Amino acid sequence: MDEQSELRLELKRDFTEFLDQDFGRETGEGRYVRKVDDIVKQYPQTKRVRLEVDLQDLSDYNEELHRRVLSSPATCLPPFEEALEEFIRNRQPKLLEESQRVHVAFTGEFGHHTTSPRQLTSEFLSKLVNLQGIVTRCTLVRPKIVRSVHWCPATGQFTSREYRDVTSNAGLPTTTAYPTKDESGNLLVTQYGLSTYIDHQTVTIQELPETAPPGQLPRSVEVVLEDDLRDACKPGDRVAICGIYKPVAPRANGSVSGVFRAVVVANSVQKLSRDAQGPTFSEEDYDNITGLAGEADVMEQLGASLAPSIHGHSTIKKALVLLLAGGRERTLANGTHLRGDVNCLMVGDPGVAKSQLLRAVMNIAPLCVSTTGRGSSGVGLTAAVTTDADTGERRLEAGAMVLADRGVVCIDEFDKMNDGDRVAIHEVMEQQTVTIAKAGILTSLNARCSVVAAANPIYGHYDRTISITRNIGLPDSLLSRFDLLFVVLDNNDAARDREIAEHVLGQHRYRAPGDDGKNAGDDRYVENLEEDEERERGITPMYVKYDARLYGPRKAGQKEPLSLPFLKKYIAFAKQRFAAPELSPEASDAIAEYYADLRNSQEVKALPVTVRTLETIIRLSCAHAKVRLSAVVEKSDVEEVQTLVDFILKSDPSAHETRRPSRRRGGGAKRGRGEGGSDSDDDMGDGPDAPGRRQQAAAAAATPADDAAPMDADEPISDAEEEPAAPAAGAVGADAAEAIRRAVDEVGQGAAGAACSVTGVKAVMAAKGVHVSSGEIAEVLKQLEADGRILMDGGEFWVSY
């Protein structure tokens, strides 16, 4: 007997003894006997024999055997499987079929053999690895021949041949050519019904998005699933696959390359839960989280800490906190799925920190996939059916929204997407699934994610003379799927512009502790001894030290911002421990009454109120209860959400003229373009605009997005403050009257049949440097109505051509 045979018998004897002793470290004796009994009971229905063995049990039984399994799994698995087959046949002699394949799978702790596609290097070749990642591609299941049977009509004899490839552990690979003649030269006929096949499937595992280094392409590796492991996962699943990392020789076409590709031959597949990568909480974290939740201004603190380097936008920040917390997901008894994820759209002028707010969400969300409108296609966001270049067969590839299942998708430059690509996400935003029906593949993939999008208005800058929906330029079917819609405008306010300028300049003057100014802005060389010490002790600091250069002048009663790690832990704690808050009767009555009032309200100007609005109120109320760490949605939660929804639906920026005269103080600052934490924003349009458009944008400004009312209560704007008294009837000069008529024609052409207002006429004339009063415009409008050129109705008019 050679050395290989002796080693095989020794391994078989060791594993048989392991099963006979039934060594179990958790449940004591009888653990693996019960597992085998369960396999025997389910075998008539499943036709599947795969025993999962915990590596820790194997280590406790024999450390040398455990080490050998990790370093030489291809040598250990065949004798293990033979021992298991004998063990089952001794207990049930007539159970297993003659051609039944028996498998042994390994689970538990793999130590440094737990890796990701990026860390999978040549040192792991031919070793057992535990690969963690997300499934991005999945091929069809194909039969692979293992043993072929041939019949010779001349002799009446049957012959058989076995086939092995690189995935087999039974021996060296064999040729794949079918025999056509026997040794005597007689023709052979293949008996397909007597031949043996196994299922074969290939999937692609990509490293988890949250663990991939920023700025680098994600790494992927192919995984071979055979026999009962086929269809164990689908695109978008987060899995941990145990298998053998094997090299595959390149195809020989005259010359053989020295570069090999490698695959993982799967031994077991386990799905990772969405909380597997979640943070761990210490006792101090519990105390800090519950203490913060009990404070009355918890929402203000969380909103101010979301992106403290961005000036203003307090309402948007609090809304994004609710988005990160999410509502309650429900699946009704009849199978109807009600999403709990909140979607948000921000539309506004360039340079108002929309992209920076998206980046702040990316830094906090545990799972976030970022993309842009122009750089994404419809199938790139959802899923696609492609053709494998090697085999020519169809395979399914998951898109960004499928990969971000249970996470957040950030889409910048949303308005730059093509209409056909934008339609592809309609199903994802409401049903939260991606349905594929192409190339003979019919399937549905989960895409349970929140969508945060940023877009510029259709004309580049927000036009105050037309409505919100016309400025956005998106169909109502898509807008109704966004729970939150914010119009973020670049207002011309000298006092506000000075605050923004001071805020941005303070950040440019900031130098972190330990920075000597010689590292060219590379923070990797900046040492913070206090943070390093706390990190070593496993402590998550609750607050960060307030620095006026980073966060602006400190207001009376303003608290220090929460640290980013603590903010992540707080939101993760709220989502995990309070995932399903219940509506109280008082909250239900308040929601129903508020929805009925919205439907009949004349103040709703931004968007139509539909049943989706009702679901939005419910989702946001549940999210607010989560933030308070409450298992019950109270009436106070609904009242807070009412303020937010009123701000979204009842404030119409196009209906207000808020341009203030330039009240420059001594050394007053010029108008600041950016409100974000840096002087660069990812929005389009940062370059020079057309003079007319810039003058028009500077002439008319709308309400800032962080105010809770359309106009500042402490600075009322009226015609008496900005314009001279209206002249008497008929006192309009000929030049002024002609200028007003031209402005009316210009506004009417831009309205394209919609209603026009006096405010729009004043804005157009102000852009041209002509200032007239509302009374002068009203006098000319009366003359135009008498001439039949316009139709007046109260404060609005329509131009007839």
Side-chain angles (χ1 to χ4, degrees):
M1 184 179 293
D2 59 0
E3 184 179 354
Q4 285 294 110
S5 300
E6 291 181 359
L7 178 60
R8 189 183 184 97
L9 286 177
E10 180 185 353
L11 292 172
K12 181 178 178 180
R13 184 169 53 251
D14 289 343
F15 193 71
T16 302
E17 185 179 352
F18 171 78
L19 292 178
D20 288 338
Q21 291 187 2
D22 197 10
F23 196 95
R25 63 185 176 89
E26 291 184 359
T27 58
E29 295 184 358
R31 178 184 181 188
Y32 290 103
V33 171
R34 284 195 294 270
K35 284 188 175 183
V36 172
D37 289 341
D38 292 340
I39 293 175
V40 170
K41 291 178 183 179
Q42 299 173 4
Y43 177 77
Q45 290 79 27
T46 61
K47 299 295 181 181
R48 176 181 185 269
V49 179
R50 186 176 293 271
L51 177 66
E52 294 185 351
V53 177
D54 195 326
L55 286 176
Q56 188 60 44
D57 292 341
L58 209 60
S59 177
D60 295 341
Y61 168 71
N62 189 334
E63 291 186 3
E64 177 62 24
L65 186 62
H66 172 264
R67 183 194 62 79
R68 184 170 289 176
V69 166
L70 290 177
S71 59
S72 303
T75 305
C76 299
L77 278 175
F80 283 10
E81 292 171 352
E82 291 178 7
L84 177 61
E85 184 176 0
E86 289 185 3
F87 187 81
I88 295 177
R89 291 190 186 276
N90 290 336
R91 298 176 64 86
Q92 296 287 342
K94 299 182 180 180
L95 178 68
L96 299 181
E97 301 175 0
E98 183 179 354
S99 59
Q100 176 63 45
R101 296 171 63 88
V102 178
H103 304 281
V104 175
F106 296 106
T107 59
E109 295 295 332
F110 287 78
H112 69 280
H113 286 251
T114 299
T115 181
S116 68
R118 182 174 296 275
Q119 302 165 344
L120 205 58
T121 55
S122 58
E123 64 174 316
F124 290 107
L125 285 175
S126 302
K127 296 182 180 180
L128 194 68
V129 297
N130 185 29
L131 183 67
Q132 296 183 357
I134 187 169
V135 182
T136 57
R137 298 177 184 174
C138 187
T139 64
L140 301 179
V141 178
R142 300 289 189 185
K144 186 179 77 171
I145 191 164
V146 176
R147 178 175 175 271
S148 64
V149 178
H150 309 273
W151 178 65
C152 179
T155 62
Q157 299 295 323
F158 285 91
T159 61
S160 63
R161 174 176 291 186
E162 293 186 355
Y163 302 88
R164 295 185 298 273
D165 58 8
V166 70
T167 64
S168 176
N169 298 320
L172 295 176
T174 62
T175 179
T176 58
Y178 262 26
T180 57
K181 295 181 180 181
D182 60 5
E183 297 177 354
S184 302
N186 298 318
L187 294 177
L188 297 177
V189 179
T190 303
Q191 301 295 317
Y192 294 99
L194 300 178
S195 301
T196 305
Y197 303 87
I198 62 171
D199 293 328
H200 177 88
Q201 186 181 28
T202 303
V203 300
T204 301
I205 304 297
Q206 187 181 100
E207 61 182 328
L208 297 172
E210 61 267 25
T211 61
Q216 298 186 24
L217 293 177
R219 302 282 178 85
S220 301
V221 65
E222 287 189 8
V223 178
V224 177
L225 305 178
E226 289 189 341
D227 205 11
D228 57 321
L229 291 181
R230 84 282 182 261
D231 289 335
C233 55
K234 62 181 184 300
D237 287 344
R238 305 161 76 86
V239 295
I241 295 181
C242 168
I244 306 174
Y245 191 46
K246 288 189 173 184
V248 180
R251 295 180 179 178
N253 293 324
S255 62
V256 179
S257 172
V259 180
F260 283 49
R261 74 183 185 95
V263 299
V264 175
V265 181
N267 178 259
S268 67
V269 178
Q270 291 182 330
K271 293 186 178 181
L272 298 176
S273 64
R274 59 174 175 173
D275 299 330
Q277 306 295 327
T280 56
F281 302 97
S282 63
E283 185 176 352
E284 183 180 357
D285 292 333
Y286 283 112
D287 296 339
N288 292 336
I289 290 173
T290 53
L292 178 62
E295 298 184 12
D297 60 343
V298 57
M299 274 301 301
E300 284 72 14
Q301 290 192 56
L302 294 174
S305 305
L306 178 71
S309 60
I310 299 176
H311 182 273
H313 300 312
S314 60
T315 302
I316 299 180
K317 291 179 181 178
K318 289 189 287 186
L320 291 178
V321 170
L322 297 179
L323 180 142
L324 291 171
R328 177 177 179 177
E329 181 181 357
R330 294 177 182 269
T331 301
L332 304 182
N334 60 358
T336 303
H337 175 76
L338 301 178
R339 65 180 172 94
D341 297 298
V342 180
N343 301 322
C344 175
L345 174 64
M346 292 179 286
V347 180
D349 296 327
V352 289
K354 300 188 299 296
S355 299
Q356 296 296 332
L357 287 170
L358 258 63
R359 195 158 298 277
V361 173
M362 290 174 54
N363 293 335
I364 295 176
L367 171 58
C368 186
V369 176
S370 176
T371 181
T372 60
R374 182 54 66 186
S376 303
S377 62
V379 295
L381 288 173
T382 54
V385 177
T386 60
T387 303
D388 194 325
D390 296 331
T391 62
E393 64 182 24
R394 300 284 185 175
R395 65 184 181 188
L396 196 60
E397 295 189 17
M401 289 186 164
V402 178
L403 297 179
D405 186 35
R406 300 294 187 188
V408 180
V409 175
C410 294
I411 307 177
D412 203 359
E413 309 294 349
F414 191 65
D415 56 303
K416 309 302 187 298
M417 290 181 64
N418 297 328
D419 293 339
D421 297 333
R422 200 183 290 122
V423 169
I425 69 175
H426 282 212
E427 178 192 4
V428 178
M429 294 184 63
E430 194 61 39
Q431 279 73 39
Q432 295 196 309
T433 57
V434 175
T435 304
I436 296 295
K438 32 176 111 167
I441 297 179
L442 301 176
T443 185
S444 180
L445 305 176
N446 288 327
R448 296 157 295 186
C449 58
S450 297
V451 178
V452 186
N456 292 118
I458 191 172
Y459 300 116
H461 284 267
Y462 195 90
D463 189 353
R464 277 75 169 178
T465 63
I466 59 179
S467 63
I468 292 179
T469 54
R470 292 187 58 197
N471 265 292
I472 297 174
L474 298 178
D476 291 342
S477 59
L478 181 60
L479 289 179
S480 63
R481 286 170 163 82
F482 284 103
D483 303 285
L484 304 169
L485 173 61
F486 293 102
V487 178
V488 193
L489 302 182
D490 186 7
N491 291 326
N492 186 11
D493 185 350
R496 180 180 175 82
D497 292 343
R498 184 177 183 85
E499 294 177 359
I500 296 173
E502 292 175 351
H503 186 83
V504 174
L505 290 172
Q507 295 180 57
H508 283 275
R509 291 186 289 112
Y510 174 75
R511 179 176 294 177
D515 184 4
D516 57 359
K518 299 179 181 179
N519 55 23
D522 194 345
D523 294 336
R524 293 177 298 175
Y525 301 101
V526 177
E527 297 182 359
N528 193 324
L529 300 180
E530 294 182 0
E531 292 184 1
D532 292 343
E533 183 180 353
E534 291 179 343
R535 191 180 301 110
E536 291 177 359
R537 291 185 296 167
I539 299 176
T540 302
M542 184 175 179
Y543 296 100
V544 295
K545 186 177 180 180
Y546 195 94
D547 194 306
R549 288 171 295 182
L550 276 179
Y551 311 125
R554 193 166 187 174
K555 301 178 181 178
Q558 184 178 359
K559 299 182 179 179
E560 294 180 338
L562 302 172
S563 66
L564 185 61
F566 179 79
L567 186 58
K568 291 181 179 179
K569 285 191 174 183
Y570 188 94
I571 295 177
F573 186 86
K575 294 184 69 174
Q576 293 176 13
R577 304 301 176 89
F578 300 90
E582 295 288 345
L583 285 169
S584 64
E586 296 80 6
S588 300
D589 295 341
I591 292 175
E593 182 179 356
Y594 177 64
Y595 174 69
D597 293 340
L598 280 180
R599 292 280 291 181
N600 299 321
S601 175
Q602 301 295 327
E603 300 178 4
V604 176
K605 303 175 181 178
L607 296 172
V609 179
T610 63
V611 179
R612 285 178 176 165
T613 309
L614 174 62
E615 294 180 351
T616 295
I617 301 171
I618 298 174
R619 272 190 291 270
L620 295 177
S621 300
C622 293
H624 196 276
K626 282 185 180 182
V627 171
R628 293 191 302 106
L629 303 186
S630 172
V632 179
V633 180
E634 303 290 348
K635 186 177 180 180
S636 59
D637 299 315
V638 181
E639 293 173 350
E640 291 291 334
V641 171
Q642 286 180 9
T643 304
L644 178 62
V645 175
D646 281 343
F647 169 74
I648 296 174
L649 295 180
K650 296 184 179 180
S651 61
D652 186 1
S654 62
H656 300 282
E657 175 78 20
T658 60
R659 181 182 183 274
R660 297 177 177 88
S662 178
R663 307 184 182 106
R664 292 182 181 252
R665 300 166 183 152
K670 295 183 179 179
R671 183 179 181 222
R673 292 290 304 163
E675 297 181 8
S678 65
D679 56 353
S680 62
D681 190 34
D682 295 337
D683 293 329
M684 296 289 291
D686 288 336
D689 295 335
R693 181 180 295 176
R694 183 174 296 277
Q695 290 176 2
Q696 182 177 353
T703 307
D706 57 342
D707 292 337
M711 300 178 65
D712 293 338
D714 56 344
E715 294 188 26
I717 303 300
S718 64
D719 293 341
E721 290 183 354
E722 296 191 6
E723 58 189 32
V732 182
D735 295 338
E738 183 61 27
I740 294 173
R741 293 189 185 95
R742 287 196 299 267
V744 170
D745 292 338
E746 184 175 346
V747 172
Q749 292 176 2
C756 307
S757 64
V758 175
T759 303
V761 177
K762 289 176 62 179
V764 171
M765 298 190 67
K768 298 178 180 180
V770 180
H771 298 279
V772 294
S773 66
S774 300
E776 292 175 317
I777 297 176
E779 184 67 24
V780 175
L781 290 178
K782 290 180 181 179
Q783 298 176 5
L784 294 176
E785 184 181 21
D787 297 339
R789 296 180 57 183
I790 65 172
L791 177 64
M792 295 285 295
D793 183 13
E796 297 179 339
F797 64 90
W798 287 261
V799 179
S800 58
Y801 297 98

